[in-house]
């Protein structure tokens, strides 16, 4: 067998490899501003990255508990096999904080997150393994309304997974009911404007067409004479200013450079409008990305956080809780268990405000002292499970009134 026959022969690209090459080369969908925008290139815009970081960090900070209901009482199901996976470690190499931040990042940038449920059919789930959404070739709804996923593996082969084998978290906006809408794809003109503005600004402060100096010579110079004179001038007068070059004009040639004022171009106004639009897309207040014209006061900052928790985080938490119920719990387990993200930490105010709120909750028998201490990550004390009011009447948890 000769050397040539043992060499690896080139292989033709399949459609997936060709599509990936085009996206890697040109960056995604072209916009009117001339900038190509995809889910990956959008992160190059600082506003997009800051919004995604805020959303991902928020979800990473929210513990996810599996709760159980027994006789009207709710408590954490710490003995349930999914409890530790969702709260601490969903697989052997990721923490829950990293996992949920990845979920949020994928939903923000691609509208979908997919995880493979590792384990034997009919047995408890061993691990949740994230699947790169870019590796999904096709998501198809069958005649019986079940959903199948065609995935391209690392070796190039295609593998089909049923909806029972994966956990699929969709964004809150969907047009077909089984895949989430990619927010970057539908808002690429807005993001493209931001990228184009940043590109313009970097070129504006770069060299561009503005020379360091213009030298005019009354005679016509040969190519060699032009190069020699320019080299002498550059060596003698350029000094440390190497970012701009000399421009040498002969035969009385003249040149003018039109000036563009950023104020006249309303550049700052365009950037502020673009930041506001992108923050609205991700439901993130401007103050959380260190932006905005005015510094928020304490009262307004508190209202911004309440609005962010109510309109930004709470809907996503509810969506994730329902996805956990649909994809990770069996029909029998759904009757007893449910997932709940702990959001009280987002609305935690100053120490004085907390103490006043706890005092009202205890006095009105909404919470007992140990429940308040649990919110503060403090250990309970004996007798703290009793509901007390300012009167001498006490009510024990789960029992009737005692005098």
């Amino acid at each position: 067998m000769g050397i040539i026959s043992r060499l690896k022969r080139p292989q033709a690209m399949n459609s997936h490899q060709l599509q990936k090459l085009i996206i890697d080369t040109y960056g995604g969908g072209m916009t009117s501003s001339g900038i190509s925008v995809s889910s990956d290139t959008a992160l190059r815009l600082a506003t997009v990255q800051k919004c995604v970081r805020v959303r991902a960090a928020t979800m990473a900070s929210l513990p996810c508990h599996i709760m159980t209901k027994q006789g009207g009482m709710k408590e954490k199901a710490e003995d349930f096999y999914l409890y530790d996976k969702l709260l601490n470690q969903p697989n052997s190499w990721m923490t829950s904080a990293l996992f949920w931040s990845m979920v949020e990042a994928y939903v923000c940038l691609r509208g979908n997150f997919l995880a493979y449920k590792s384990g034997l059919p009919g047995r408890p789930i061993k691990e949740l393994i994230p699947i790169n959404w870019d590796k999904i070739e096709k998501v198809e709804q069958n005649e019986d309304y079940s959903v199948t996923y065609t995935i391209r593996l690392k070796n190039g082969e295609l593998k089909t997974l049923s909806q029972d084998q994966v956990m699929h978290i969709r964004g809150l906006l969907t047009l077909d009911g089984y895949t989430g809408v990619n927010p970057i794809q539908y808002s690429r003109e807005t993001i493209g404007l931001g990228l184009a503005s940043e590109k313009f600004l970097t070129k504006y402060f770069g060299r561009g067409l503005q020379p360091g100096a213009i030298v005019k010579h009354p005679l016509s110079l040969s190519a060699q004479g032009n190069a020699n004179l320019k080299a002498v001038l550059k060596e003698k007068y350029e000094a440390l200013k190497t970012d701009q070059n000399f421009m040498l004009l002969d035969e009385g040639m003249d040149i003018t450079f039109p000036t563009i004022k950023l104020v006249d171009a309303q550049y700052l106004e365009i950037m502020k409008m673009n930041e506001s639009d992108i923050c609205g897309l991700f439901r993130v207040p401007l103050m959380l990305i260190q932006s905005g014209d005015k510094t928020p006061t304490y009262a307004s900052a508190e209202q911004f956080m309440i609005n962010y928790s109510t309109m930004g985080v709470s809907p996503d938490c509810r969506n994730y809780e329902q996805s956990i119920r649909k994809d990770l719990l069996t029909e029998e387990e759904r009757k007893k268990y449910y997932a709940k993200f702990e959001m009280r930490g987002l609305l935690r105010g100053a120490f004085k405000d907390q103490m006043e709120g706890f005092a009202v909750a205890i006095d009105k028998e909404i919470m007992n002292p140990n429940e308040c201490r649990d919110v503060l990550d403090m250990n309970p004390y004996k007798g703290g499970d009793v509901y007390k009011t300012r009167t001498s009447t006490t009510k024990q948890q789960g029992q009737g009134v005692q005098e």
Side-chain angles (χ1 to χ4, degrees):
M1 181 180 292
I3 296 177
I4 300 299
S5 61
R6 291 200 298 266
L7 293 177
K8 185 177 181 180
R9 296 184 179 181
Q11 297 179 353
M13 285 187 179
N14 55 43
S15 59
H16 175 79
Q17 293 171 326
L18 180 59
Q19 180 182 7
K20 186 178 185 303
L21 177 62
I22 294 174
I23 292 176
D24 291 342
T25 304
Y26 297 102
M30 184 65 70
T31 63
S32 300
S33 60
I35 301 295
S36 298
V37 176
S38 68
S39 297
D40 293 323
T41 59
L43 274 179
R44 299 175 187 174
L45 183 62
T47 306
V48 172
Q49 186 172 156
K50 287 187 285 187
C51 287
V52 174
R53 282 179 176 271
V54 168
R55 295 304 302 262
T58 301
M59 290 306 304
S61 66
L62 302 181
C64 180
H65 298 289
I66 295 293
M67 307 293 291
T68 182
K69 297 177 290 186
Q70 293 182 348
M73 301 298 294
K74 302 176 182 179
E75 60 183 15
K76 298 175 183 177
E78 297 181 358
D79 296 332
F80 189 57
Y81 71 96
L82 281 178
Y83 186 88
D84 186 67
K85 289 180 175 58
L86 297 180
L87 180 62
N88 296 314
Q89 191 170 357
N91 52 56
S92 60
W93 67 93
M94 296 179 72
T95 63
S96 62
L98 186 61
F99 179 83
W100 290 116
S101 65
M102 182 180 182
V103 171
E104 186 68 15
Y106 262 83
V107 172
C108 287
L109 295 173
R110 288 166 171 80
N112 298 270
F113 173 82
L114 202 68
Y116 176 69
K117 298 187 293 186
S118 176
L120 297 176
R123 300 287 184 89
I125 299 172
K126 290 185 177 181
E127 290 183 323
L128 293 174
I129 302 175
I131 300 175
N132 189 341
W133 187 256
D134 295 337
K135 301 298 183 182
I136 307 299
E137 288 287 321
K138 182 172 60 175
V139 181
E140 186 177 17
Q141 190 171 40
N142 305 313
E143 293 183 358
D144 60 353
Y145 300 104
S146 63
V147 181
T148 55
Y149 305 83
T150 303
I151 303 172
R152 184 167 295 277
L153 304 178
K154 291 183 178 180
N155 58 7
E157 297 180 358
L158 295 178
K159 182 177 181 180
T160 301
L161 299 176
S162 67
Q163 64 182 25
D164 297 330
Q165 295 176 282
V166 299
M167 178 178 73
H168 185 184
I169 297 181
R170 304 162 179 85
L172 289 172
L173 181 60
T174 176
L175 300 179
D176 53 23
Y178 57 90
T179 55
V181 167
N182 186 330
I184 304 300
Q185 186 179 30
Y186 279 82
S187 303
R188 64 171 178 255
E189 291 291 344
T190 300
I191 297 172
L193 175 61
L195 290 170
S197 300
E198 285 191 349
K199 185 177 181 180
F200 165 77
L201 189 62
T202 55
K203 286 191 173 183
Y204 183 86
F205 286 108
R207 182 170 56 184
L209 286 175
Q210 186 67 35
I214 299 177
V215 179
K216 295 184 178 180
H217 195 283
L219 303 178
S220 177
L221 298 175
S222 64
Q224 185 62 41
N226 189 298
N228 292 339
L229 181 57
K230 185 182 294 185
V232 171
L233 292 172
K234 184 175 181 180
E235 180 181 359
K236 188 172 183 180
Y237 297 108
E238 188 178 47
L240 298 177
K241 190 176 181 182
T242 59
D243 57 336
Q244 294 178 324
N245 295 323
F246 283 93
M247 179 176 285
L248 184 58
L249 305 176
D250 55 7
E251 292 186 337
M253 186 183 299
D254 196 8
I255 186 171
T256 57
F257 293 91
T259 58
I260 301 176
K261 295 182 180 179
L262 294 180
V263 175
D264 295 338
Q266 292 186 321
Y267 178 82
L268 294 179
E269 286 76 6
I270 292 175
M271 290 297 291
K272 289 177 182 178
M273 181 188 70
N274 189 256
E275 275 190 340
S276 179
D277 288 342
I278 293 175
C279 284
L281 171 65
F282 291 104
R283 293 170 291 159
V284 173
L286 283 169
M287 72 167 195
L288 291 185
I289 65 167
Q290 311 302 315
S291 184
D293 293 333
K294 299 179 180 178
T295 303
T297 62
Y298 176 81
S300 62
E302 184 180 22
Q303 292 303 314
F304 279 135
M305 287 304 301
I306 292 175
N307 179 267
Y308 173 59
S309 301
T310 304
M311 303 303 298
V313 182
S314 182
D316 280 357
C317 288
R318 180 62 175 168
N319 181 33
Y320 296 172
E321 291 164 359
Q322 292 292 301
S323 297
I324 292 172
R325 180 185 183 276
K326 176 180 69 71
D327 292 333
L328 300 186
L329 299 179
T330 64
E331 291 187 9
E332 286 297 319
E333 291 170 346
R334 294 170 191 167
K335 298 177 182 178
K336 184 178 180 181
Y337 301 102
Y338 64 97
K340 187 69 177 178
F341 282 90
E342 180 57 69
M343 291 188 57
R344 285 182 293 185
L346 288 180
L347 301 176
R348 188 175 298 173
F351 181 80
K352 179 182 177 182
D353 297 332
Q354 279 187 296
M355 295 302 105
E356 291 176 353
F358 288 150
V360 173
I362 292 174
D363 182 60
K364 300 301 181 182
E365 297 182 323
I366 300 173
M367 302 174 73
N368 62 45
N370 277 346
E371 289 174 334
C372 296
R373 292 174 68 87
D374 181 64
V375 175
L376 299 173
D377 292 327
M378 300 174 66
N379 294 326
Y381 68 89
K382 187 176 181 180
D385 293 328
V386 178
Y387 290 88
K388 301 178 181 179
T389 65
R390 292 179 180 177
T391 64
S392 59
T393 304
T394 63
K395 183 187 296 183
Q396 292 184 351
Q397 187 174 9
Q399 298 182 2
V401 177
Q402 294 183 348
E403 296 295 339

